[in-house]
Amino acid sequence: PGPGAPTVVANLLRPLLLRVAADGFAGETPETLVASGLLAHEGDEVAAAYARHGLRETRRVAGGEWIALALQAH
């Protein structure tokens, strides 16, 4: 595995986003991760899963019942 991408955009449903968080990253943890494809009530769980990798939520954008999370390395 080489270095990871500095920014990752993942338009995936909750189960897949949680799987990625559980498996970790093949290279370096990205500096920025935008996770979308989430229902509003799923955001806290997904944000917490990525917090274990040092990514914290910096923004949450809602569109109807869907949300996107912006997570940044800290």
Side-chain angles (χ1 to χ4, degrees), residues 19-65:
R19 177 64 186 259
V20 170
D23 289 349
F25 297 93
E28 297 175 25
T29 300
E31 295 172 25
T32 304
L33 171 66
V34 178
S36 62
L38 295 165
L39 294 172
H41 69 275
E42 298 171 335
D44 291 340
E45 178 185 17
V46 171
Y50 285 95
R52 292 189 279 277
H53 294 283
L55 294 165
R56 66 178 170 84
E57 183 179 341
T58 57
R59 188 163 183 212
R60 187 176 292 213
V61 179
E65 63 187 72

